Amino acid sequence: MSSPADADVIVVGAGPAGGAAAFHLAARGRRVILLEAQEQGRSKPCGGGMAASVQRWFPFDLAPAVDQVIRRVRFTWCLEDPVTAELPGEAPFWIVRRSVLDAFLGQQVVEAGGDLRHGCRAEWIERTGDGLWEVAGPGDLRLRARAVVIADGSGSRFAAPLGLGPARPRFAATVSVEVAADPDPADMARFEFGLVHHGFCWVFPRRGGYSIGVGTFVGQQEADSGAVLSALLPSLGLPESAGERRRGQLRLWNGHHPLHGQGLVAVGDAASLCDPFLAEGLRPSLLSGCEAAAALDRWLDGDGPALEHYSLRMREAWGDSMAWGKRIAQVFYRVPRVGYQLGIKRPTAPQRIAQILSGEMGYGEIAQRVIRRLLFQRG
C-alpha cells in the first residue's frame, strides 16, 4: 500500500520564482511545501533590478522589499559618450536585495498557509510507481507530492535531466560586486557597453551602496573583471579594489522548449528565462512562478492540458520577445561599438530600451529594424 502524499505540490527553491509559485498555490488552498537549500538570510549575487509592473501579479504590496526606485537610465561607451533616458510611467523600475525579496515572499507563503523549510537541499527527484513525485535530501528527508515545481536557479541540477527547458543551457559569465557608498544620483541606473568585450556592466544604486555587475554574453568567456572594475569603480568615486566580488552565471533564454512534464514544471532561472540582451531575470522569474501556480491549480483539479498551456503561455508572454532579444544580442555583442552608435545613440533608442526594462514593450516591436541596421552597417 502506497504512502499518502505530504503535499499537493513541492516547490524546490525559494527564490523569486519558487516563492511566487508557492504563494499563489497556497493562496488557492493547495498544500505546498517550499524547500530552500540555503539557510535563511544568506545573500545571493543579483543586480536586483525589476520592473514595477510586477506588482500587478500579487495581491499584497511589494514595497517593503524595494530598496530603491529608478527613474532614469544612463548608457555610456567606455565611460564616455553618455545617453540618458527617463523611464516611462510611475515608479517604473525597482532595485531589490535578493535576500530581502526572497525572505519577503517566503513570509507571504507562510502567511498563506504554505510550509517553508530552509536548509533542505533536494538531492534527487523521481516519479514513483503510484504516480506521485518523491523529493529526497540529506538524512531522512523524503517528501511525496502530486506535483513538483523546479525552481533551483541558474545552476539547476534538475531541469535538464527531467526534460525541462534546453538540454544544453547557455550561460553568461558574471561577476557581481556589492559596494557600500552614498549613490549619486540615487534614482539612476547605469549601463556601460564599452569596457566589456562581448558584454556590458550595470550599476544599480541601492540603499547604502551600489549593486554592480560585469557580464559576458557571447562565447561564455568570463571578462577581465579586474581591469573592467579598475576603470569603472573610480568613475563612481570609489577605490579600484572596493566591494565584495562574487562570480556567477546567468542561465540565458536559448530557444523555445517545453517547461512542463507530467505533474512537473520549471520556473525562473531553472527554466532558462533570463533576457539574453539586458540580463533581466527577476521579472520573468516572478511571471513564470505566477503562471505555473495558476496552471498547476487547474491541473490538480483535473484539467489535463493545463501544464502544456503553461509552456505555451510562457512562450507567448516571454519567449517570443526573447527570441528577438537573442538575435539582437548576437549581432550587438559581436560589433558593440557599431551597436552603440547605431542602436543606443539613436534618438528613440534609449526610450525604447527604457520601455523594455519597464515591461511596456517587447523586443519584437523593435528587433527587425535594429538587426537590419546593424547588419547593413557591419557589411
Side-chain angles (χ1 to χ4, degrees):
M1 181 175 177
S2 62
S3 59
D6 299 288
D8 294 318
V9 183
I10 296 171
V11 181
V12 179
F23 165 76
H24 282 291
L25 284 163
R28 287 171 163 85
R30 300 300 182 181
R31 293 183 303 144
V32 180
I33 298 175
L34 176 57
L35 302 179
E36 171 54 44
Q38 298 183 0
E39 295 297 335
Q40 189 169 5
R42 184 175 174 180
S43 65
K44 300 177 181 179
C46 177
M50 67 181 185
S53 58
V54 302
Q55 177 62 72
R56 69 181 184 270
W57 301 328
F58 298 92
F60 52 83
D61 189 1
L62 288 168
V66 177
D67 223 41
Q68 188 60 262
V69 176
I70 300 299
R71 302 188 184 279
R72 292 177 290 162
V73 180
R74 185 173 189 257
F75 306 94
T76 56
W77 177 267
C78 292
L79 304 176
E80 298 181 348
D81 206 8
V83 179
T84 301
E86 299 289 330
L87 288 170
E90 179 62 27
F93 199 66
W94 289 338
I95 305 299
V96 300
R97 293 179 196 250
R98 272 291 307 280
S99 58
V100 174
L101 177 64
D102 293 1
F104 181 72
L105 290 174
Q107 177 187 348
Q108 305 304 315
V109 171
V110 172
E111 292 180 2
D115 179 1
L116 171 57
R117 305 185 188 184
H118 283 96
C120 291
R121 178 182 176 84
E123 294 186 342
W124 54 260
I125 300 171
E126 67 179 19
R127 194 164 176 81
T128 62
D130 56 2
L132 297 178
W133 285 94
E134 185 167 273
V135 178
D140 59 355
L141 178 63
R142 294 288 188 280
L143 296 170
R144 289 158 53 86
R146 293 175 62 190
V148 173
V149 177
I150 304 300
D152 56 339
S154 282
S156 178
R157 296 180 300 117
F158 300 114
L162 290 170
L164 307 177
R168 293 186 175 183
R170 176 171 162 255
F171 295 94
T174 65
V175 174
S176 300
V177 186
E178 295 290 325
V179 184
D182 185 13
D184 182 28
D187 67 345
M188 186 168 72
R190 308 180 195 208
F191 291 86
E192 160 52 43
F193 286 101
L195 294 179
V196 182
H197 189 54
H198 293 164
F200 69 96
C201 309
W202 56 91
V203 179
F204 293 161
R206 57 167 174 78
R207 191 178 301 127
Y210 289 105
S211 291
I212 298 170
V214 179
T216 306
F217 291 79
V218 175
Q220 302 184 32
Q221 296 178 348
E222 186 176 307
D224 184 355
S225 58
V228 172
L229 292 169
S230 292
L232 180 64
L233 290 170
S235 75
L236 302 171
L238 300 167
E240 292 183 10
S241 60
E244 176 188 357
R245 304 176 186 195
R246 300 173 66 179
R247 284 175 168 76
Q249 58 184 14
L250 299 175
R251 197 180 184 108
L252 301 176
W253 188 94
N254 192 30
H256 299 299
H257 301 277
L259 302 180
H260 72 285
Q262 183 64 25
L264 196 65
V265 294
V267 296
D269 289 340
S272 298
L273 297 178
C274 186
D275 182 331
F277 180 49
L278 292 175
E280 183 183 13
L282 283 177
R283 182 160 58 103
S285 289
L286 294 170
L287 170 64
S288 63
C290 297
E291 293 288 347
L296 280 167
D297 186 55
R298 297 194 303 273
W299 183 82
L300 290 166
D301 276 341
D303 181 354
L307 301 189
E308 180 181 358
H309 291 162
Y310 162 67
S311 288
L312 294 173
R313 171 61 182 154
M314 287 308 301
R315 173 170 179 163
E316 174 189 72
W318 187 254
D320 287 344
S321 176
M322 292 305 106
W324 287 111
K326 179 184 177 182
R327 296 183 191 184
I328 292 175
Q330 287 172 332
V331 177
F332 185 99
Y333 289 122
R334 285 189 168 89
V335 286
R337 179 59 174 165
V338 173
Y340 191 81
Q341 291 299 319
L342 297 181
I344 306 299
K345 289 285 288 181
R346 286 183 68 85
T348 59
Q351 193 66 24
R352 296 291 177 264
I353 292 177
Q355 288 176 298
I356 288 170
L357 287 171
S358 68
E360 294 188 4
M361 178 179 288
Y363 286 117
E365 297 173 69
I366 63 169
Q368 295 187 49
R369 292 192 303 273
V370 170
I371 292 170
R372 279 199 302 267
R373 193 179 302 127
L374 294 175
L375 288 175
F376 177 78
Q377 180 66 23
R378 193 170 89 176

